[in-house]
Amino acid sequence: MIARPYGDTLDDGAVQFSFTLPVPEGPLGREAARQLVEKWGFEQVDVVHSHSLSEGFSFYVAYGRATTGIDLAGIQVEEATGPSVYTMDEANEIVRTRLGRKVVVVGACTGFDAHTVGIDAIMNMKGYNHHYGLERYPEFEAYNLGAQVPNEKLIDFAVKVQADAILISQVVTQKDVHIQNLTQFIEMLQARGLREQFLVLVGGSRIGNKLAVELGFDGGFGKGTFAEHVATFIVDRLLEREA
Amino acid sequence: MIARPYGDTLDDGAVQFSFTLPVPEGPLGREAARQLVEKWGFEQVDVVHSHSLSEGFSFYVAYGRATTGIDLAGIQVEEATGPSVYTMDEANEIVRTRLGRKVVVVGACTGFDAHTVGIDAIMNMKGYNHHYGLERYPEFEAYNLGAQVPNEKLIDFAVKVQADAILISQVVTQKDVHIQNLTQFIEMLQARGLREQFLVLVGGSRIGNKLAVELGFDGGFGKGTFAEHVATFIVDRLLEREA
Amino acid sequence: MTAPVESKLGLPQDRIDQARELARRIARPVNQFIERHTTVSVERATLRLAGADGANAEGIPVPNLVVDQVRDRLEDGALLPYVNALVRTGDSVDGLNQKIAQGFRVDELPLGDRGALERKAEELVEAFATRVKANRAFRAACQERFAGRNHSPLLYVIVATGNIHEDVKQARAAAFQGADVVAVIRTTAQSLLDYVPYGATTEGFGGTFATQENFRIMREALDEEMERQERYIYLTNYASGLCMPEIAAMGAMERLDMMLNDSIYGILFRDINMYRTFVDQKFSRMINSFGGLIINTGEDNYLTTSDAVEKAHTVLASQFLNERFARDAGLPPRLMGLGHAFEMDPWLPNGFLLELAQARMAREIFPEHPLKYMPPTKHMTGNIFMGHVQDAMFNFASKASGQGIHLLGMLTEAIHTPFMMDRALALENARYVMNSMKDFASEIEFKKDGLIVRRAHQVLEETVDFLEVLDRIGLMEALEQGLFAEVKRPRDMGKGLEGIQERGPDYYNPFETYLASELGLSAN
Amino acid sequence: MTAPVESKLGLPQDRIDQARELARRIARPVNQFIERHTTVSVERATLRLAGADGANAEGIPVPNLVVDQVRDRLEDGALLPYVNALVRTGDSVDGLNQKIAQGFRVDELPLGDRGALERKAEELVEAFATRVKANRAFRAACQERFAGRNHSPLLYVIVATGNIHEDVKQARAAAFQGADVVAVIRTTAQSLLDYVPYGATTEGFGGTFATQENFRIMREALDEEMERQERYIYLTNYASGLCMPEIAAMGAMERLDMMLNDSIYGILFRDINMYRTFVDQKFSRMINSFGGLIINTGEDNYLTTSDAVEKAHTVLASQFLNERFARDAGLPPRLMGLGHAFEMDPWLPNGFLLELAQARMAREIFPEHPLKYMPPTKHMTGNIFMGHVQDAMFNFASKASGQGIHLLGMLTEAIHTPFMMDRALALENARYVMNSMKDFASEIEFKKDGLIVRRAHQVLEETVDFLEVLDRIGLMEALEQGLFAEVKRPRDMGKGLEGIQERGPDYYNPFETYLASELGLSAN
Ligand code: B12
Ligand code: B12
Ligand SMILES: Cc1ncc(COP(=O)(O)O)c(C=O)c1O
Ligand SMILES: Cc1ncc(COP(=O)(O)O)c(C=O)c1O
């Protein structure tokens, strides 16, 4: 099925836009805005609003009709975990019965990132939104190193505690600082010949599985992640490996 | 100069989108939304929000970076009037001294359209936003026929009073009802051999000069029009014709 | 909605009483005119109540065909010839309707035994009453079953795709998103048609035709959504325009829950003849009342053309008149959704306070009435972000002043009829704001002699003055002079004038008689 | 801001007084510690006040070079060796700075005649005082000239592009759009650098380096905008982190108008050693006070991790402590921009009322203080439309409770640092809402014993209880136990501990002496 945006009639293609142009407000700017949206492939473009943001900048709200849709059949959904995840008890049960040892997990907010709320949500006892964190899982040994941990230190620690998985949180993404930092992490692991030794996971509000895999991680986790997702992912991968 | 959208750095191309897809909320929808925006030619696409609108529909907010800009040099601004317009007094003075007769103007909201506020703003004594309407112009004779006037009747009336210009207002645009109605008006004029006899102007909040000219009108007027714009346009065109 | 309303404004009760008394006096001569007249639409509505339905090959509805046949003796009403045909032919109602659609003329049959005809007519009244009472009982049972699940005020959205099937999708989505009330907006200019189209329709502009089949389709869908959402979903349409009573009839039969229905809106905003409107509105309201439908009056419309500060008193005056005419048609206050609107200029300093004063004033003057509060429209622009904030302030004002029915503002008001996503954002906006400041109204007092209190008193005073003028010159004269909404409507002009008919001594309408007695109107 | 604040909540004055007394007692042992210590940053700040500036080829700033040279005798302070070098070499301040940047060691010169050194030092103090007083006078003159042109509360926006030149564009646009205050957000983690970078910078993440040159560039641009917009535009930065006093010094010299500056924020949220923070904050605040800068304290941060209902009392307790420490550093209330935040869960029933209660409570307890109200951040999501409405409610709450400084919420808070258009929409939102309900605060009263009043009383009670615990166990112990923001900070851990230095009997700092006397602090 080809999905096209929907306003009030199937396949009408309605899309709302807003953007700024480095152009003073006026007829030229409005026409430029209109033509620009047309150039992006939209029809019936209507610049419904414009105002001046300063002498050289102006703001536009526009609506247009998309002429292209997207074939749903061709879409690969690459989420780290599928629709069904283990509950805390199920995950622990599987570890106990099928892995037969504790799973060791090390987590941190790395680089200059100090947004610990996300990694805490996954790891701390109290968890998040009524989902307990990994510290509460009896079959997991979870170490949360906190904020602004250098990649080097994180790897050292993971080696020391013989971690199964390393969990990294990256929330600040401005100027792609997270990509630089995550790339450096993978390169360090590889340089030290440790890449295969750990499952490496990254999460954060602007992180997706796709990006994570591209950067060389095993999985990526965005908004709405709970400890269950992480536990499911780790347990399944460890079972695979050890099978 | 090539203008590209601006978020916080020149040429970063930042654009905000929102749209609905006829797809249930979930990973498939989110990925479809992301790929769709990419397909429209945007990079670094981030679907920052999604929620369910009903069983089969979901809503998305996304940001992306435009890879294409628009060359300002290539843009023809086709407004009906240029940046300078005559004041009420100037317009009357020109009519008095250079045309030497009163200008007759007939206006109406045509078809099923009953949104008279716009045409009243242009024609009535009291005008709009502290800009007097054409009825207040001593050198203009203005007839405002009001709401829901059939095209036929409007033309009959214009013939009767020997109008110089016909002013049409169209506000309802759903399913392009205005285009049908405006096209019918021009065809009627042509069928009766009257097209060249009148200046024909159309206005309304979703009307632009471009569309108007395409439909066979002399000029089109959108949001922010005042009687001065209309008077300027009519006076200049009449002078041209009679020169 | 019927909890006693606390007085925060200290409005003088004697002035309120005086305004009501003036409204009574202003309405009286109009009512006298109404009693002596019927209209083509009243007669067609009566036929519909009796069961006349369907249309001929050209789409002319059966009720119109019958009334056209008997137009020259309409002073007796149109029902008797129809009943006579039923008796004479022995046809069922449906059978007769089909015949009529194929050209059969009821006016050519000689009238049979009066007693037999009246008995047949009573049977039809009975059938109608049974159906509508069942509707009322069903509605009441559902509301009982899902008590406490609706929002307060009721969150009211519109659908307006032009296509009933598309409307159904939008309406279902709206229910899913939290709406309590769905209004199917009518196609532009249906109000000027002197007939009601027949069947399911898919071609409207800015709205969908009001037809009985469309009502049925939407009702069915919303009843399903009700079960799913466990919330009664109110259905609204327009008993307004040239077919006011007929649409009321259709609504009562298909269990609509609300109707836009105003005693003077059509005159002012649709240039419908005033005599016609006055006669039509009364019968339409009797039907609405019997069907248990809440009417929504159209005072908001004054402020789409006039200024909300300058003309606030015309809104209140019109509410008093609508209340009076509604009462005279047997509507109890709990079914009077008197209208008003948040149309204050957003850049006016303290505009929100003036608005809050006016909204609260309406609440205190009409304490039992489910006031219908309309969103910003005139001052909305293409700036959807700013518009969404204007709507938030409207949501705040509505909850803070205790409104009954809240028509949701759309961020795209100045652009297009609502997209599905616009409605969802509007519902989210209202649900957030109203939940977050839920008990605000009972938490605050207004400062004595402050801006808010003074504003409310001032509007009330201006209203009484205005009603005094109306009382002096008469309502019809006032409409001719353009005292409302700045439009002048001569009494012998306007659409539908030709459909007015003085009643003869033998005028017969047992449906009207039944309704009047049910509504306790017998002695006017 | 200094108009007497009407009591709408009826808070018990004795409990407020008690809280203040507890804060005084809690601060006392900390102050005793502060008096006996200095830090590398205090010394570098002193050098900066004297004129030390510039950096060597590796980017190490001159003040750091000097302090590093004299680190082993820092108990006497770092100023004397620097002054000695000036006298010995006969160099100008700039000349000496250049020499030092090239490797010249001031610590190797034997100290000259004490009298001559002290005279030289007094000269430098004089020069500093003249410069800063001129700044204050200029600011006062501009504010006088454009009196009444700022909004109330002041509308405060941030710029955070990472590039000072891009920041300037954004700041100019913000001024054009109506902003009163522009804060240049610092690059992430600058607070953990134990030096202040030098020169104009274009590479930051989530913010721009705070450097003296960047301050100057932005000040110049905003002064130009001031003339254009005819409105004083306040400039804000961060006197926070490991270089708290140095940035205060730079700000006083470059006429910044506000500084984020908190007595415990760095400990809790940046894991800076508590001794270091306490000593640094005092000197930084003395400088801010003398420079006439409003401090912005960081209580909002508690609520980005903790719940706004549960932990409201930690905000108020921290405000009392920040007030006390500020007072002990010579800041008058009119320069105390105590922080708090609108971080209530948007879906909490009556959450807005609780928030309004808390905001108004702060206003009544700190009547002369230009309270700084922070926008929703934690509960913002990628739904920018919903976010814009949350910000509208925040704007409403702020104006309705009479806040002093209003940091604008951004609809894209959960997504990216503000785009130019985000800021414009935020300003429009605030200007509309606050103008439209301008006098709301003075128009309403809260119901006696209602939800709002009860909530305020409850938070005050909880705060007194909490302060009693702090008084019992001591502030340092409380920080170790994690009583604030749920983080535990051992006293001998954290960044910057090594930069602490006990003062010797010969500790010399004529700048501090001068400030103390100007601020009336001589006898603590
Ligand atoms: C709270 C907060 C702070 C707090 C952080 C306190 C703390 N201890 O964490 C404080 C005030 C300290 C702060 C500071 C700054 N912040 Co901040 N902050 C936020 C805020 C308001 C909320 C973040 C949050 O807690 N979300 C809730 C958690 C639960 O969500 P989450 O992090 O997405 O985590 C979930 C998932 O992503 C996932 N997840 C996350 N990590 C991981 C890891 C793994 C392994 C897995 C499996 C899953 C996972 O699971 C979690 C649960 O579902 C956001 C705005 C917003 N509303 O999002 C800005 C925001 C993130 N901050 C921002 C910025 C720029 C900063 C500063 C750099 C500003 C400055 N220049 O000073 C500083 C510096 C901090 C630093 N050095 O990193 C920007 C980032 C912009 C960008 N995209 O780059 C934001 C978006 C605000 C903005 N619009 O400017 N901030
Ligand atoms: C007021 C109003 C009404 C009033 C009209 C009262 C009246 N006497 O005009 C009432 C309540 C009657 C009404 C009814 C309807 N309305 Co209406 N209405 C509006 C509203 C709120 C404001 C329009 C307005 O007055 N603008 C102010 C004037 C000054 O602006 P303007 O018309 O753009 O005119 C300016 C320029 O465009 C230009 N101009 C206009 N005409 C001309 C002509 C010439 C020759 C020139 C030179 C210039 C010119 O100059 C003017 C001054 O600058 C808009 C929403 C909005 N905020 O825009 C909806 C809106 C226009 N209505 C709408 C609809 C659908 C309807 C209905 C069809 C709904 C229904 N199904 O019942 C009905 C039917 C009316 C009909 N048959 O046409 C839609 C149209 C959607 C679309 N794009 O198709 C809108 C956008 C609302 C919405 N989102 O659904 N409406
Ligand atoms: C009472 C009433 N009827 C009808 C309408 C709708 O317009 P129309 O007359 O086109 O049905 C309105 C619109 O606001 C109204 O208030
Ligand atoms: C007092 C104070 N300082 C500084 C900051 C900024 O963070 P950083 O420590 O990275 O400078 C904040 C942020 O909210 C703050 O409240």
Side-chain angles (χ1 to χ4, degrees), chain D residues 4 29 68 98 150 290 305 318 355 391 418 451 508 515:
Chain D
D68 288 350
Q98 279 177 25
N150 282 111
F290 181 64
T305 47
S318 176
E355 185 60 49
D391 287 336
L451 193 59
Y508 177 67
L515 291 174

Side-chain angles (χ1 to χ4, degrees), chain D residues 119-163:
Chain D
R119 272 193 306 283
K120 183 69 192 171
E122 286 310 324
E123 229 175 71
L124 296 174
V125 169
E126 189 68 36
F128 153 73
T130 307
R131 175 168 180 175
V132 174
K133 282 180 178 166
N135 282 346
R136 267 162 36 192
F138 184 82
R139 181 195 294 120
C142 294
Q143 288 177 336
E144 177 67 36
R145 189 148 63 95
F146 299 123
R149 299 269 309 158
N150 282 111
H151 300 92
S152 167
L154 294 170
L155 301 182
Y156 179 123
V157 297
I158 65 171
V159 298
T161 68
N163 177 328

Side-chain angles (χ1 to χ4, degrees), chain B residues 20 53 55 112 148 174-175 206, chain C residues 160-161 177 192 206 414 417:
Chain B
T20 298
L53 294 182
E55 277 154 28
F112 286 130
Q148 303 193 326
Q174 216 202 18
K175 297 198 181 153
R206 307 256 77 78
Chain C
T161 68
Q177 294 152 13
L192 304 185
T417 48

Side-chain angles (χ1 to χ4, degrees), chain C residues 85-107:
Chain C
L86 280 175
V87 174
R88 287 263 169 204
T89 59
D91 283 340
S92 69
V93 166
D94 286 346
L96 178 61
N97 289 343
Q98 279 177 26
K99 267 196 192 150
I100 295 171
Q102 280 148 21
F104 179 74
R105 296 194 64 103
V106 300
D107 62 330

Side-chain angles (χ1 to χ4, degrees), chain C residues 359-373:
Chain C
R360 181 68 198 175
M361 172 194 76
R363 175 72 298 166
E364 296 191 6
I365 294 177
F366 303 105
E368 299 169 62
H369 310 54
L371 296 180
K372 181 182 180 209
Y373 201 19

Side-chain angles (χ1 to χ4, degrees), chain D residues 208-475:
Chain D
T208 305
F209 283 99
T211 72
Q212 193 163 345
E213 179 60 10
N214 287 348
F215 285 7
R216 203 195 52 70
I217 291 170
M218 186 57 87
R219 176 79 277 170
E220 190 176 305
L222 293 185
D223 281 351
E224 260 178 60
E225 286 304 320
M226 163 177 76
E227 296 296 340
R228 213 173 282 178
Q229 311 300 336
E230 306 192 327
R231 193 170 69 243
Y232 189 73
I233 314 281
Y234 293 71
L235 176 57
T236 306
N237 211 292
Y238 292 68
S240 193
L242 287 172
C243 298
M244 215 188 263
E246 289 179 83
I247 295 184
M250 288 155 42
M253 292 189 285
E254 300 300 337
R255 189 168 44 82
L256 268 67
D257 306 293
M258 294 188 189
M259 283 287 180
L260 272 77
N261 182 272
D262 192 288
S263 53
I264 43 183
Y265 164 87
I267 305 167
L268 297 171
F269 298 100
R270 283 289 169 265
D271 195 12
I272 296 176
N273 174 267
M274 62 173 85
Y275 296 127
R276 171 77 179 259
T277 296
F278 285 130
V279 176
D280 282 349
Q281 61 88 27
K282 175 157 183 196
F283 194 52
S284 73
R285 286 174 169 199
M286 290 169 69
I287 300 170
N288 284 334
S289 182
F290 181 64
L293 282 80
I294 297 171
I295 62 165
N296 297 177
T297 62
E299 281 81 0
D300 51 292
N301 293 286
Y302 298 125
L303 305 184
T304 63
T305 47
S306 309
D307 181 74
V309 177
E310 265 170 49
K311 298 294 181 183
H313 65 282
T314 65
V315 170
L316 181 56
S318 176
Q319 288 171 330
F320 278 120
L321 293 176
N322 259 314
E323 179 193 45
R324 183 71 228 176
F325 281 116
R327 183 170 162 169
D328 291 339
L331 274 162
R334 68 175 174 80
L335 296 182
M336 296 182 195
L338 300 176
H340 58 134
F342 186 98
E343 290 283 18
M344 206 57 78
D345 179 348
W347 296 107
L348 181 71
N350 281 325
F352 180 80
L353 301 188
L354 301 185
E355 185 60 49
L356 191 61
Q358 295 174 194
R360 181 69 198 175
M361 172 193 77
R363 175 73 296 167
E364 296 191 7
I365 294 177
F366 303 104
E368 300 170 62
H369 310 53
L371 296 180
K372 180 180 180 210
Y373 202 18
M374 299 287 288
T377 64
K378 178 165 66 165
H379 294 288
M380 295 290 281
T381 70
N383 185 348
I384 56 175
F385 298 99
M386 170 70 187
H388 208 44
V389 177
Q390 290 168 252
D391 287 336
M393 293 294 272
F394 164 60
N395 293 334
F396 195 114
S398 183
K399 186 78 181 174
S401 60
Q403 303 302 310
I405 303 169
H406 181 79
L407 194 140
L408 287 178
M410 295 288 140
L411 74 177
T412 53
E413 166 61 29
I415 306 166
H416 48 235
T417 48
F419 286 172
M420 188 188 277
M421 66 189 188
D422 301 339
R423 220 178 277 114
L425 293 174
L427 281 160
E428 179 182 63
N429 184 334
R431 284 189 301 117
Y432 158 49
V433 170
M434 292 185 181
N435 180 57
S436 186
M437 44 69 74
K438 198 161 150 345
D439 294 314
F440 189 80
S442 61
E443 275 292 319
I444 56 153
E445 317 274 348
F446 298 133
K447 197 169 74 181
K448 281 211 191 341
D449 296 323
L451 193 59
I452 295 176
V453 169
R454 285 201 319 271
R455 173 67 187 161
H457 284 246
Q458 182 199 353
V459 175
L460 176 58
E461 287 310 310
E462 286 174 10
T463 302
V464 173
D465 292 349
F466 183 60
L467 287 170
E468 273 168 350
V469 173
L470 297 187
D471 182 36
R472 205 159 50 241
I473 66 176
L475 179 56

Side-chain angles (χ1 to χ4, degrees), chain C residues 480-514:
Chain C
E480 292 199 303
Q481 289 185 15
L483 296 193
F484 281 102
E486 301 166 62
V487 287
K488 298 180 181 169
R489 298 300 185 197
R491 63 184 86 194
D492 292 319
M493 300 266 282
K495 291 150 193 145
L497 173 60
E498 66 289 350
I500 283 274
Q501 176 64 53
E502 200 162 350
R503 294 182 181 201
D506 293 333
Y507 181 73
Y508 177 66
N509 192 335
F511 284 92
E512 187 188 47
T513 313
Y514 173 78

